[in-house]
C-alpha cells in the first residue's frame, strides 16, 4: 500500500491543445510512477481557473456563475425584506422544552 498526499507529489505543467479548458494552464500530479504499474496511469489534473474569462466561445463562461449566484441571493434577500416589512414579522410559536432536551 502506498500513502500519497497532495504536497508530496510533484506538480508539472501539462500540455492542453484543445478541449474544454483552452487558454488556461493545466497542471498534472502523477500519483503512480511508471514503474509502479504497467497497466494504468493515475494522476490528478488541475486547471488554473483564475485566468478564465466571464464569456467564452459557447456563451457564459465558468467565472460568471458566482455573479449569477450573488444576484439570485440578492433578489431573494430583497424579497424577504419586502415581505417582512409588508406583512410584519410572524410571532414565533412556543417551544416544547422537553423536546429540545
Amino acid at each position: 500500500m502506498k500513502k500519497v498526499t497532495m504536497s508530496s507529489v510533484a506538480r508539472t505543467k501539462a500540455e492542453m491543445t484543445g478541449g474544454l479548458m483552452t487558454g488556461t494552464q493545466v497542471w498534472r500530479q502523477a500519483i503512480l510512477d511508471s514503474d509502479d504499474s504497467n497497466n494504468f496511469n493515475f494522476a490528478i489534473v488541475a486547471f488554473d481557473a483564475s485566468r478564465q474569462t466571464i464569456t467564452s466561445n459557447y456563451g457564459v463562461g465558468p467565472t460568471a456563475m458566482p455573479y449569477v449566484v450573488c444576484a439570485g441571493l440578492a433578489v431573494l434577500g430583497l424579497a424577504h425584506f419586502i415581505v417582512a416589512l409588508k406583512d410584519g414579522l410572524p410571532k414565533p410559536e412556543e417551544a416544547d422544552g422537553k423536546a429540545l432536551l
Side-chain angles (χ1 to χ4, degrees), residues 67-80:
Y67 296 108
V68 172
V69 171
C70 180
L73 290 175
V75 168
L76 287 174
L78 185 62
H80 277 69

Side-chain angles (χ1 to χ4, degrees), residues 2 4 9-12 28-33 41-44:
K2 179 180 179 181
V4 178
V9 179
R11 187 175 177 185
T12 58
R28 182 179 186 274
Q29 290 179 282
I31 304 299
L32 291 178
D33 296 328
N41 181 7
F42 184 62
I44 297 171

